[in-house]
Amino acid sequence: MTELSNTKPTVLIVDDEPVNLQVLREILHKNYRLLFARDGHKALELAASERPDLILLDVMMPGLTGFDTCKQLKQQSQTQHIPVIFVTALSEESDESKGFDCGGVDYITKPVSPAIVRARVRTHLSLVHMDELRETRLQIVQRLGLAAEYKDNETGLHVIRMSHYSRILARAAGFSEAAQEEILHAAPMHDIGKIGIPDAILAKPGKLDAEEWQVMQQHPAIGAHIIGDQSTELLQTARRIALYHHEKWDGSGYPEGLQGEAIPIEARIVAIADVFDALVTKRPYKDPWPVEKAVELIRSEAGKHFDPTLAELFLQELPAILEVRERWAEPD
């Protein structure tokens, strides 16, 4: 059975003065698992082996200074994400600036205030927890997208390519960096509804009959139902994409027959990215098209299937699109 102490966040405290280590121990030992180092080299060793959640780092140490130690921590992949708070008697603005340049996230000046130490440690550990939750959520979204793609494309590389195409197109359309990242991570969910479509229809080598096509057209609504009406912007975006990425600019799409700008722009972006990659990729029911033929279709369908402005932007970004296609090419 795991001891309770092992569930506490781990904090590495680094200081060459034993009295300073003892002061910080008294402040933090009730709420955290503590590790101690009296020099930079030992700190690097413990950080790599124990992966603490946070490091409190003295600056003025013999040999390897705190600044040098922090630089080395940030150069190692296994420790670069650990937040470092400098605890030091140096209080000049230039010293703080140097610490932030080295990768530190905060500064606590000596002599330390117990209340300030506890508050700063708690705040930065909360930020770490939020980052972990965000990363976990993104991984779940991506894996669900891949699960759907494996139903009719064994490699699952389609969702990777089209999500990167979508980000490129979003950037060209003037989306902010944050919005570009959001569409990158939401786009893999576009066909999650295919989980509810029979394999015999998805993998049919040839054209679907009217009854089969009616079943296939249910997958956007199934996808929206799977994602649900969530409070997070990422999942709201994913739901809009899943539900509307088969709508067409001229109103002839499905499931609701939306027209023009009534179709959410994220869905209009994904529609182009999805169709282009589907065309140039081998599927059970078709051989891959040459890129030139797919480009001509995008151009000819601008104003009919696709948003004409976005279609033009997509074609302008074709070199970047093809770089992504090459990077995530299907295996032979």
Side-chain angles (χ1 to χ4, degrees):
M1 186 174 184
T2 304
E3 294 181 6
L4 182 60
S5 62
N6 289 338
T7 67
K8 297 178 180 179
T10 299
V11 177
L12 171 59
I13 303 173
V14 187
D15 199 302
D16 63 311
E17 292 291 341
V19 66
N20 293 332
L21 295 177
Q22 183 61 29
V23 168
L24 290 170
R25 179 189 179 281
E26 288 299 319
I27 295 171
L28 298 171
H29 79 278
K30 290 183 179 179
N31 298 311
Y32 305 102
R33 173 177 173 252
L34 302 179
L35 304 172
F36 302 95
R38 293 185 59 181
D39 60 70
H41 295 290
K42 183 63 176 179
L44 293 171
E45 179 185 321
L46 283 173
S49 62
E50 297 289 337
R51 307 288 179 87
D53 299 290
L54 184 90
I55 298 174
L56 295 177
L57 182 58
D58 184 28
V59 173
M60 299 300 292
M61 296 186 296
L64 203 61
T65 69
F67 292 146
D68 293 333
T69 302
C70 188
K71 287 179 181 178
Q72 292 196 32
L73 286 167
K74 298 305 172 182
Q75 290 169 358
Q76 303 299 320
S77 60
Q78 68 268 38
T79 58
Q80 63 183 357
H81 299 299
I82 303 172
V84 174
I85 299 177
F86 288 108
V87 184
T88 178
L90 299 176
S91 58
E92 294 295 326
E93 186 175 331
S94 60
D95 296 318
E96 292 191 10
S97 177
K98 186 174 182 180
F100 291 132
D101 290 342
C102 291
V105 297
D106 208 342
Y107 243 88
I108 299 174
T109 56
K110 297 176 181 177
V112 299
S113 160
I116 289 177
V117 171
R118 293 191 191 100
R120 300 286 179 82
V121 168
R122 183 169 60 248
T123 295
H124 287 287
L125 286 174
S126 295
L127 293 174
V128 169
H129 182 59
M130 289 174 62
D131 287 341
E132 289 174 347
L133 288 175
R134 187 179 298 110
E135 182 63 26
T136 299
R137 184 180 65 188
L138 291 177
Q139 289 178 2
I140 291 171
V141 168
Q142 291 165 352
R143 294 302 165 184
L144 282 172
L146 287 172
E149 186 60 21
Y150 268 74
K151 292 266 289 182
D152 67 340
N153 175 6
E154 289 184 358
T155 67
L157 292 174
H158 168 66
V159 294
I160 297 175
R161 290 191 299 268
M162 59 81 59
S163 62
H164 282 281
Y165 299 163
S166 297
R167 178 168 64 174
I168 291 169
L169 184 50
R171 181 184 63 207
F175 280 43
S176 67
E177 285 288 339
Q180 292 172 40
E181 286 296 304
E182 191 166 88
I183 200 168
L184 170 71
H185 294 302
M189 295 283 279
H190 72 293
D191 271 341
I192 187 65
K194 285 184 177 179
I195 289 175
I197 304 300
D199 291 348
I201 293 178
L202 287 175
K204 182 179 179 179
K207 189 175 182 179
L208 301 179
D209 62 31
E211 184 177 348
E212 291 167 335
W213 182 238
Q214 189 174 20
V215 173
M216 177 64 86
Q217 286 182 312
Q218 296 173 12
H219 83 267
I222 294 172
H225 179 71
I226 290 172
I227 297 169
D229 188 10
Q230 305 296 328
S231 61
T232 65
E233 186 59 35
L234 173 65
L235 291 178
Q236 289 176 10
T237 301
R239 186 181 187 278
R240 290 194 295 271
I241 289 171
L243 185 57
Y244 297 122
H245 72 285
H246 282 296
E247 300 288 357
K248 295 184 179 180
W249 184 257
D250 63 6
S252 64
Y254 64 91
E256 297 181 13
L258 299 183
Q259 186 174 4
E261 293 185 358
I263 306 167
I265 189 168
E266 305 97 334
R268 285 181 265 149
I269 287 172
V270 167
I272 299 174
D274 186 33
V275 168
F276 176 81
D277 195 69
L279 290 175
V280 298
T281 303
K282 181 177 175 60
R283 290 295 178 89
Y285 50 84
K286 59 171 278 295
D287 289 327
W289 284 24
V291 169
E292 295 76 14
K293 185 178 178 182
V295 165
E296 184 53 40
L297 182 136
I298 298 292
R299 184 175 287 114
S300 67
E301 287 295 316
K304 292 182 284 185
H305 187 158
F306 306 120
D307 178 329
T309 301
L310 292 177
E312 182 62 30
L313 290 174
F314 184 86
L315 297 179
Q316 290 176 13
E317 295 293 327
L318 193 61
I321 298 292
L322 295 180
E323 285 181 13
V324 170
R325 180 171 179 254
E326 179 66 24
R327 179 181 178 187
W328 298 104
E330 297 287 336
D332 294 333

